[in-house]
């Protein structure tokens, strides 16, 4: 393994006409380099001019890509695998150090593990800097996917999965050529006969007869409940319920339909590579060209994160910044072209692009961020007012501070973000979406340097927005339960996450007192011990029994072990989760209105959470028990009269717009 501490080879993109700020890490210091490219010929009319990019590994025949936070993994035809991260380069030569020789066809990166599929069908896994080669599955492997850490393989013998070192065939109905996973919920795969199969559970499959009739499948992806098929006649889309959604090649430049050779997604965004027509990004149903057509240089692989997009060809890799302040794999920090130019299209001076502490310098209102408020405003339920009392002056002060953006730093303040904006009514704004910093509605990356340069952790890790209701009784705080004090948690959100000034002690006391007043809304389905009332439906009562049932897959514990009904359904502890790391046990009260779920908001519905645990921990619940448990959780998470007219409760009405 060769590790290079120097920056990897970079060639600045020539098709630029605006300034871009790069921050290159060198030694212990940070050298800011402003690059103003000379005027160059514009791209084709249908592509935006001045799209900035970096070119890395020039002259290398690249064949596969995978992105994992700031790290970019690159597979090659004959040189092995290369990792770019933080400006450093790590190489594993082909045929050495346990890595098989041959052309790399596909790479999968997740949770610190890398899987490599080779052109000859061989597989290798990099774990803790060591390569392992598992036994081959039945048949030659054509494509792979990961589902909850389990490797799936489309092979000549069917669809197989690697579980605990053994291959199990899930579908042996015929050869399979492609497989993809819909956020751990559905497995979608394509047969050699062109048949699309959608698997809800291992025993429930729906087949669409020959949707690829007469077409050649070049790439395959499932993104946000849409199945995307890249073919030799453009991009085709299906809904995961099996209905055709249409051919989405309307945004590609005029000409014959392009062969879609590669696709990648992050949140709602789709990155698409073609055979000679360039690279395209789709956001909010609108296409945008990142690159000019290159007839002699087809794209073979693409990858993306919240911060950047990358495309591989036989001549190297190109990287485009997508998010303000994102750290690219090359070690540079970049301001995208849209942020660098004012509405007139004229570039600003390099001096104006350097953040020097002035909250107005970065001009976040020009980034096109759409910060979305909830369509219905959750109602407040405060202990003092619910009991017929009046709020104390301290709590009143906290109420005012909770609704103002002035407690936060420049960028959050410029966007009008307050505590209430993310936690309306003390609940969670599950409609909030920050382009480039959210992977789905309801989450955001709060450890990104866009909010606070000192808090950057160089990972794309959006977290679900939590509810603050009942916070006085649900310590510890933070998704990883790292903070025991509610007062200190609020302070860290203000100062560390959103770059605010150190709050005055009396303001911090006021905010803490106000949050402590927020209580769970009443729930007519539960008695005072957290049990379902006797009049509940039979399926929900069966679900309550299932919730308390001891299960070997949970280490002879039950769901109620970590979510005791008598204690707001939380044990107030942190636990190691299957995705790695420690996570605070969330309270289940009010959860029916705070989707999405999990620390990163990966599951849109409670049924998805139940299905996930049933699979991952092999709980062996049948479909009826899963449905019963889901019904029970929905009643536990219900609230009496959860919404109100926003104007009656808040000085910041629900709104949607660009700032």
């Amino acid at each position: 393994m060769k590790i290079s501490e120097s920056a990897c080879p970079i060639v600045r993109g020539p098709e630029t006409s605006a300034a871009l700020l790069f921050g290159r890490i060198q030694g212990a210091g940070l050298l800011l380099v402003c690059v103003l490219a000379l005027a160059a010929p514009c791209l084709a009319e249908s592509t935006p001019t001045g799209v900035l990019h970096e070119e890395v590994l020039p002259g290398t025949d690249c064949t596969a890509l995978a992105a994992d936070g700031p790290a970019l993994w690159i597979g090659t035809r004959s040189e092995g695998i290369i990792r770019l991260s933080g400006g450093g380069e790590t190489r594993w030569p082909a045929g050495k150090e346990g890595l098989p020789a041959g052309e790399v066809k596909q790479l999968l990166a997740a949770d610190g593990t890398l899987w490599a599929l080779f052109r000859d069908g061989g597989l290798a896994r990099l774990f803790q800097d060591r390569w392992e080669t598992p036994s081959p599955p039945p048949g030659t492997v054509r494509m792979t996917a990961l589902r909850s850490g389990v490797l799936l393989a489309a092979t000549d013998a069917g669809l197989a999965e690697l579980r605990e070192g053994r291959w199990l065939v899930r579908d042996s109905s015929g050869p399979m050529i492609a497989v993809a996973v819909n956020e751990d919920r559905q497995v979608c795969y394509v047969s050699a006969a062109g048949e699309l199969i959608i698997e809800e559970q291992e025993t429930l499959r729906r087949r669409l007869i020959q949707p690829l009739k007469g077409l050649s499948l070049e790439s395959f992806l499932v993104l946000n409940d849409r199945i995307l098929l890249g073919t030799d006649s453009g991009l085709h889309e299906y809904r995961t319920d099996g209905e055709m959604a249409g051919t989405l090649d309307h945004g590609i430049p005029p000409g014959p339909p392009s062969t879609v050779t590669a696709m990648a997604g992050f949140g709602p965004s789709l990155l698409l590579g073609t055979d000679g027509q360039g690279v395209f990004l789709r956001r909010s149903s609108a296409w945008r060209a990142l690159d000019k057509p290159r007839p002699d240089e087809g794209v073979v692989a693409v990858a993306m994160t919240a911060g950047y997009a990358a495309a591989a060809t036989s001549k190297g890799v190109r990287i485009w910044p997508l998010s303000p302040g994102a750290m690219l794999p090359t070690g540079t920090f970049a301001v995208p072209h849209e942020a660098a130019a004012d509405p007139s299209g004229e570039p600003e001076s390099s001096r104006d692009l350097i953040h020097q502490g002035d909250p107005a310098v970065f001009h976040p209102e020009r980034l096109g961020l759409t910060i979305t408020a909830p369509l219905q405003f959750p109602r407040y339920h405060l202990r003092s007012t619910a009991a017929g009392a009046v709020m104390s002056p301290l709590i009143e002060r906290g109420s005012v501070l909770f609704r103002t953006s002035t407690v936060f730093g420049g960028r959050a303040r410029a966007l009008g973000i307050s505590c209430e904006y993310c936690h309306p009514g003390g609940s969670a704004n599950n409609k909030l979406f920050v382009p480039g910093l959210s992977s789905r509605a309801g989450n955001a990356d709060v450890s990104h340097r866009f909010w606070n340069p000192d808090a950057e952790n160089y990972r794309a890790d959006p977290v679900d927005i939590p509810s603050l209701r009942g916070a006085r009784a649900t310590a510890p705080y933070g998704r990883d339960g790292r903070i025991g004090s509610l007062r200190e948690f609020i302070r860290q959100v203000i100062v560390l996450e959103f770059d605010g000034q150190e709050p005055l002690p009396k303001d911090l006391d006021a905010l803490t007192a106000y949050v402590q007043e927020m209580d769970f809304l009443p729930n007519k389905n539960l008695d005072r011990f957290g049990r379902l009332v006797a009049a509940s439906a039979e399926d929900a009562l069966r679900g309550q029994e299932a919730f308390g049932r001891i299960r070997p897959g949970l280490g002879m514990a039950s769901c109620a072990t970590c979510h005791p009904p008598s204690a707001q359904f939380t044990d107030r502890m942190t636990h190691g989760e299957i995705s790695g790391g420690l996570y605070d046990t969330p309270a289940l009260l009010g959860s029916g209105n705070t989707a999405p779920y999990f620390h990163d908001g990966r599951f849109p519905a409670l049924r998805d959470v139940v299905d996930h645990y049933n699979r991952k921990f092999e709980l062996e619940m049948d479909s009826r028990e899963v449905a019963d448990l889901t019904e029970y959780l929905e009643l536990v998470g219900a609230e009496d009269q959860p919404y109100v007219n926003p104007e009656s409760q808040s000085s910041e009405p629900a709104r949607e717009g660009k700032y």
Side-chain angles (χ1 to χ4, degrees), residues 274-311:
T274 66
D275 187 13
Q277 282 192 263
V279 180
F280 300 89
L281 178 68
R282 189 181 80 187
R283 280 179 170 171
S284 302
S285 300
W287 286 104
R288 166 188 171 204
L290 296 182
D291 201 7
K292 68 180 182 180
R294 300 173 188 246
D296 61 339
E297 191 177 351
V299 175
V300 295
V302 294
M304 71 181 303
T305 68
Y308 66 87

Side-chain angles (χ1 to χ4, degrees), residues 8 28 79 107 138 189 196 209 251 255 284 295 338 352 371 378 462 478 482 507 568 581 603 613-614 618 641:
C8 56
E79 298 179 32
L107 293 173
Y189 49 105
L196 176 61
I209 304 301
S284 302
E338 292 85 351
D352 288 338
I371 310 297
R482 68 188 183 279
D507 289 344
Q568 291 85 35
F603 296 122
Y613 276 102
N614 191 29
E618 300 180 353
Q641 299 178 346

